[in-house]
Amino acid sequence: MKLDAIDGLIIDLDGTIYLGSQAIEGAKETMAHIRAAGKKVVFLSNRGNYSRRMCREKLAAMGIPAAAEEIILTSTVTASYLLDNEPDSKAWLFGDEGLHEELKSHGVQLAFKPEEADWLVITLHESLTYAELNSAFRAARNGARLIVTNEDKTFPGDGGECIDVGATIAAIVHTTGAEVSVVVGKPSAYMANAALRSLGLPPERCLVIGDSLHSDIALGKRAGIRTALVLSGSTTRERAEAAEERPDYIWESISDIRPMLESARGE
Amino acid sequence: MKLDAIDGLIIDLDGTIYLGSQAIEGAKETMAHIRAAGKKVVFLSNRGNYSRRMCREKLAAMGIPAAAEEIILTSTVTASYLLDNEPDSKAWLFGDEGLHEELKSHGVQLAFKPEEADWLVITLHESLTYAELNSAFRAARNGARLIVTNEDKTFPGDGGECIDVGATIAAIVHTTGAEVSVVVGKPSAYMANAALRSLGLPPERCLVIGDSLHSDIALGKRAGIRTALVLSGSTTRERAEAAEERPDYIWESISDIRPMLESARGE
């Protein structure tokens, strides 16, 4: 196959470029090849507890340079959603520092008290306290609508699967009777549109590369973007081949794109 | 009415004897009258994040002496449940320090690692951390059964309603698919039986005094114990009088027992 028709790559991070704090083997060299081949790139991640700055620094430390506009996180898209749809609304944030940094950098208005919030934004919070849980509860109890970066129940972390943002969402929903109004993360159209807008390309000239069938591949299928599943993250070959919506390509890792880049250039 | 037929009083704490850190007006003097009248007493509370020692000290500071055996908390009854039913099982605890103190004082065996636990005990945790949430998640994910001191969604705290143990139960249940096996708290038979056993009296010679229709009054109704609802806590007179299962008495506060004690003695 040829990649000539592909001008933009939408690349997942966790499980595709790195695992925890380790770059996946060959990711750095492959990204250099992709750049040399002149492809446009956007990194698209369901992480809402990171800011673009934090993410960019993490990539730089792995020898993978990226411009701020080339990184789109769920925290980024949550900020855009609020500014695009309700610029005068005030948000209360329940999540790690990266969420705060990202929303502030976009100029999202924050409520001074939970009771005054129009929106409660929830993302993974690995340094949560009871006081913060209680403030989020009070925001929801007083009518703040729930916008969540993602709904995952677990994520692969140090020492095995870890409890994810689904836990704190359930805690708030169960105790207040509130419902989740907006789920920002992949495979949503919010994330697909943000990626395509950043690339400035139509879906048929792009390729999604990621390790998750239900977030990365599903996003591509819904948005009419071709898909490559990598087996370097959370999905096994068995599950990939048994999937109802099969990816266009199944690769061991992102490095498998290299022969295709070369044949494209060689012609 | 006469209290001659009543030899034992089962008295709730939050909303009946104190509110937060403040004793309810007249509670101290009324307890002295109850003691002088020769009534047996047990304090019965759904608090699972306190130990009997902590509770006894709190009462003593309010001028209300109580023996350790006169205090029964859900943490106490959780310990008895585990020791009576599965003495060889190992528990993982997810709650405030008082839970740990109480279970250790009874000799409940604790698991060294969450993955090894037979039971996950959940109570209110006002100093929770993500690491503790994650350990509880791992216990449940690895098959530990859930025993919870109570299932309340909120409790009246400083500055209004606060998020209660229902939040952390929902977080664990939602992310693991586990179900709650045992709910210890009032109105359960576990709590009623523990109180009657401590008093050494049959139900018809006891009276439950408490501020909650669905925990105190319901416990009395189920166990065949007469009931007095006090309006010094979470229930209004309107709600009390509209209740499907009406308490035998409705009192402004526990002080309303005093004329009845005196007429009993006067005869």
Side-chain angles (χ1 to χ4, degrees), chain A residues 124-130 133-134 137-138 141 153-155 158-163 166-167 170-172 174-175, chain B residues 124-130 133-134 137-138 141 153-155 158-163 166-167 170-172 174-175:
Chain A
L124 175 61
H125 197 345
E126 291 184 276
S127 55
L128 90 168
T129 64
Y130 175 81
L133 177 65
N134 199 39
F137 161 77
R138 288 188 176 169
R141 189 176 161 91
K153 295 175 182 178
T154 68
F155 68 91
D158 295 331
E161 286 297 299
C162 294
I163 194 166
I172 298 298
H174 176 71
T175 53
Chain B
L124 175 61
H125 198 345
E126 292 183 275
S127 54
L128 89 169
T129 63
Y130 174 82
L133 177 65
N134 199 39
F137 160 77
R138 288 189 176 169
R141 190 176 159 93
K153 294 175 181 177
T154 68
F155 68 92
D158 295 332
E161 287 296 300
C162 295
I163 193 166
I172 298 299
H174 177 71
T175 53

Side-chain angles (χ1 to χ4, degrees), chain A:
Chain A
M1 107 90 166
K2 302 169 191 173
L3 278 189
D4 283 334
I6 302 289
D7 297 313
L9 301 175
I10 298 169
I11 305 174
D12 172 52
L13 289 171
D14 287 83
T16 302
I17 293 294
Y18 48 66
L19 268 175
S21 54
Q22 289 295 106
I24 285 168
E25 203 187 322
K28 173 186 159 185
E29 297 74 13
T30 302
M31 284 311 304
H33 273 77
I34 287 169
R35 299 293 196 180
K39 303 298 179 194
K40 287 187 172 183
V41 165
V42 65
F43 294 105
L44 190 70
S45 165
N46 266 0
R47 283 274 178 182
N49 60 332
Y50 279 17
S51 67
R52 281 170 304 168
R53 183 193 61 77
M54 290 160 70
C55 196
R56 201 176 165 200
E57 285 178 7
K58 180 170 179 172
L59 286 169
M62 294 173 178
I64 301 172
E69 318 81 66
E70 291 177 328
I71 297 172
I72 299 178
L73 310 168
T74 47
S75 52
T76 321
V77 178
T78 298
S80 306
Y81 179 92
L82 294 174
L83 293 170
D84 291 351
N85 292 284
E86 299 191 19
D88 297 328
S89 67
K90 287 176 183 165
W92 188 265
L93 310 186
F94 184 40
D96 283 323
E97 182 51 31
L99 177 73
H100 293 250
E101 182 176 306
E102 189 68 9
L103 265 63
K104 277 188 244 168
S105 79
H106 281 81
V108 171
Q109 285 191 70
L110 301 185
F112 284 108
K113 291 163 59 177
E115 291 82 357
E116 293 168 359
D118 303 299
W119 288 98
L120 171 64
V121 185
I122 309 182
T123 194
L124 175 61
H125 197 345
E126 291 184 276
S127 55
L128 90 168
T129 64
Y130 175 81
E132 288 173 295
L133 177 65
N134 199 39
S135 292
F137 161 77
R138 288 188 176 169
R141 189 176 161 91
N142 280 275
R145 280 163 292 162
L146 271 56
I147 179 169
V148 305
T149 58
N150 55 315
E151 292 186 302
D152 297 83
K153 295 175 182 178
T154 68
F155 68 91
D158 295 331
E161 286 297 299
C162 294
I163 194 166
D164 204 340
V165 62
T168 40
I169 297 170
I172 298 298
V173 164
H174 176 71
T175 53
T176 63
E179 286 176 12
V180 174
S181 296
V182 181
V183 182
V184 172
K186 297 181 274 188
S188 77
Y190 308 120
M191 293 294 279
N193 292 341
L196 293 171
R197 203 160 46 228
S198 165
L199 292 171
L201 292 170
E204 60 274 16
R205 284 172 57 198
C206 297
L207 176 71
V208 173
I209 306 171
D211 73 320
S212 163
L213 285 165
H214 73 267
S215 67
D216 302 304
I217 306 309
L219 174 137
K221 296 286 177 189
R222 290 189 192 182
I225 309 171
R226 271 171 287 176
T227 54
L229 182 86
V230 291
L231 302 174
S232 51
S234 62
T235 307
T236 60
R237 182 172 291 277
E238 263 183 335
R239 276 186 46 216
E241 287 178 350
E244 214 167 292
E245 293 198 301
R246 276 199 58 154
D248 296 293
Y249 311 105
I250 299 177
W251 296 341
E252 287 302 319
S253 78
I254 195 170
S255 297
D256 287 6
I257 200 176
R258 288 168 66 176
M260 293 163 75
L261 288 168
E262 276 146 27
S263 78
R265 272 191 293 171
E267 282 184 316

Side-chain angles (χ1 to χ4, degrees), chain B residues 222-245:
Chain B
R222 288 189 193 183
I225 310 171
R226 271 170 288 176
T227 55
L229 182 86
V230 292
L231 302 174
S232 51
S234 62
T235 307
T236 60
R237 182 172 290 276
E238 264 183 332
R239 277 186 47 217
E241 287 176 351
E244 213 168 293
E245 293 198 301

